[in-house]
Amino acid sequence: MPNRGSIILFIADGVQGKGVKSLAQLQTGVTVISSGSATCPQILDNNDLSRIVDTSDEWIRTRTGITRRHISASQSLCDLATAAGEKAIANAGLTPPDIDMIILATSTPDDLFGTAPKVQASLGAERAVAFDLTAACSGFVFALNTACQYIRTGVYRRILVIGADCLSRWVDWSDRSTCVLFGDGAGAVVCQASDEGDNILGFEMCSDGRLNHCLNLPFVGQEKKIGSRHRVIQGGYTKITMNGREVYRFAVSKVPEVLEKVLYKADLTPEKIDWLILHQANQRILEAVAERLNIPKWKLIANLNEYGNTSAASIPLALDEAVAKGQIRQGHLIAIAGFGAGLTWGATIFRWGHLSS
Ligand code: UT7
């Protein structure tokens, strides 16, 4: 298997001779070996929200499946991401200096220049290169797939992938159509090079910027003169705006489609999937997708009842809870799919944990 310093030969199909390895054979495999998560102690339930905007517990529960959400009071994005990362590293039986790279999927960094390097410092992962990746609620899936490419090419062996968001910072708390949906949190996994085959069985990532207007957190600026001859635009970010019906329609059509593509690429049928973990946006979306794929509801992992939509954190948070409960066990086949602003969407199918240990 190639490692640091290995030379990878690209060999076209059909010209492989005996003893000459194909690219697939040369690639290092990847295994997701552990998870961790972090949540906020401050809880905002539906009844609390009904005292803030014109809504009710009944409306929120029946339309979304959400009862409560945890929101940050004093924890920074870095605090949440560090806590989730620390647990994932410890659960892998590793220490922070073992990590080669940290990818932090977030749309709500503490610093627009990137929060991942601060997470690296807080963890004490001194060997790791760290950077942010922004793909909204698809962020964790995109970050996991990105990490896999670095491992497959033999460049890095252990990568910490974190999904963390504090959307409460950017929610319009007077808009009942969005403020009932979101919560804060973080989840993380450690991906490791595997010399016993690849446990990432397939992935797909998509975006369609034509639908960007459906879900936004835009920069809005005003012209400002600097000196007598130049102008710049300065301003800040507004609040989250969303066309809920459009995003709902998009999700129930595109998510089953992308999962079907990944199943096909992985040469799998839906019955083979042990657990389906979708971005925790709305219970109705989760159930519609499972139904389209003929995956029974009991295989759906959902915790949005407790946390709401935590954006990039939602999939690793649900995954970590299911691992901690003993639901997800070594060797289980897991399908994950994210979708959201961009618009972006994507899916990955992987086998959980070390198979040989
Ligand atoms: O992670 C990003 C991905 N985001 C999503 O996946 C969100 C996808 N969309 C959804 O989950 C759903 O569209 C929502 C939960 C956002 C909304 O549910 P809906 O069943 O699509 O409701 P709607 O937007 O069609 O609104 C129905 C009614 C409206 O009233 P009228 O016009 O029928 O009188 C809304 O004003 O419900 C009203 N409404 C509310 N009523 C009480 C909207 N929000 C609320 C609320 N409480 N919080």
Side-chain angles (χ1 to χ4, degrees):
M1 287 296 158
N3 210 322
R4 262 171 230 228
S6 305
I7 296 169
I8 295 182
L9 297 174
F10 288 82
I11 300 157
D13 276 355
V15 294
Q16 273 173 236
K18 218 175 173 187
V20 179
K21 287 183 171 178
S22 71
L23 180 59
Q25 286 171 304
L26 280 166
Q27 282 177 339
T28 306
V30 186
T31 306
V32 182
I33 58 169
S34 69
S35 62
S37 62
T39 58
C40 308
Q42 180 176 231
I43 290 168
L44 181 71
D45 70 21
N46 293 348
N47 290 321
D48 295 325
L49 273 168
S50 69
R51 289 187 279 274
I52 300 169
V53 287
D54 180 16
T55 190
S56 65
D57 173 55
E58 208 253 330
W59 191 96
I60 303 170
R61 269 191 298 104
T62 52
R63 300 283 181 129
T64 70
I66 300 166
T67 305
R68 316 183 325 154
R69 65 286 296 137
H70 294 226
I71 56 170
S72 169
S74 57
Q75 288 155 297
S76 66
L77 197 275
C78 179
D79 294 337
L80 284 168
T82 302
E86 239 162 24
K87 289 179 196 156
I89 293 169
N91 288 339
L94 299 172
T95 58
D98 296 323
I99 301 297
D100 300 316
M101 172 181 265
I102 298 168
I103 307 180
L104 172 62
T106 188
S107 305
T108 53
D110 293 334
D111 181 338
L112 258 191
F113 288 153
T115 297
K118 261 192 87 179
V119 174
Q120 176 227 9
S122 308
L123 284 168
E126 63 254 19
R127 286 181 45 255
V129 57
F131 61 90
D132 288 19
L133 181 152
T134 304
C137 303
S138 307
F140 178 75
V141 173
F142 282 26
L144 178 65
N145 294 336
T146 303
C148 290
Q149 307 321 305
Y150 283 103
I151 294 176
R152 281 184 169 153
T153 51
V155 180
Y156 295 113
R157 288 190 71 79
R158 289 182 183 126
I159 303 186
L160 175 66
V161 179
I162 309 173
D165 266 312
C166 281
L167 283 182
S168 64
R169 294 173 175 180
W170 300 105
V171 161
D172 177 352
W173 290 104
S174 65
D175 175 7
R176 69 176 183 173
S177 69
T178 52
C179 75
V180 301
L181 302 175
F182 300 106
D184 303 335
V189 296
V190 173
C191 304
Q192 181 164 278
S194 140
D195 297 328
E196 299 150 19
D198 203 346
N199 291 309
I200 305 290
L201 306 182
F203 75 90
E204 185 82 26
M205 299 188 289
C206 315
S207 35
D208 186 350
R210 290 170 304 178
L211 298 173
N212 184 264
H213 58 277
C214 294
L215 182 47
N216 288 119
L217 176 41
F219 171 82
V220 177
Q222 280 179 343
E223 206 173 85
K224 192 178 166 208
K225 272 191 161 178
I226 47 166
S228 56
R229 294 194 306 138
H230 297 89
R231 289 168 303 158
V232 290
I233 305 291
Q234 291 208 314
Y237 290 85
T238 54
K239 295 281 187 282
I240 296 171
T241 59
M242 179 173 76
N243 180 333
R245 279 182 210 179
E246 277 301 316
V247 178
Y248 189 97
R249 261 197 289 273
F250 146 79
V252 296
S253 91
K254 294 295 183 187
V255 176
E257 191 180 290
V258 79
L259 279 162
E260 272 163 2
K261 271 192 196 160
V262 182
L263 283 165
Y264 178 78
K265 279 185 171 179
D267 197 19
L268 290 167
T269 51
E271 313 86 77
K272 300 276 185 217
I273 299 298
D274 292 303
W275 302 108
L276 179 61
I277 312 180
L278 304 177
H279 166 51
Q280 307 283 299
N282 185 321
Q283 187 66 29
R284 285 153 58 211
I285 296 178
L286 270 52
E287 290 178 11
V289 172
E291 197 176 314
R292 268 272 305 274
L293 292 169
N294 249 331
I295 293 180
K297 270 192 211 161
W298 64 265
K299 289 189 175 182
L300 260 181
I301 288 179
N303 64 1
L304 80 171
N305 170 49
E306 180 66 27
Y307 299 108
N309 175 346
T310 56
S311 192
S314 86
I315 293 172
L317 185 55
L319 171 82
D320 185 52
E321 284 200 349
V323 170
K325 276 190 221 157
Q327 250 178 317
I328 292 180
R329 292 197 303 275
Q330 192 168 295
H332 278 179
L333 214 50
I334 302 168
I336 61 173
F339 54 92
L343 296 182
T344 53
W345 65 107
T348 307
I349 296 178
F350 61 98
R351 205 174 279 288
W352 175 253
H354 278 300
L355 292 175
S356 59
S357 59

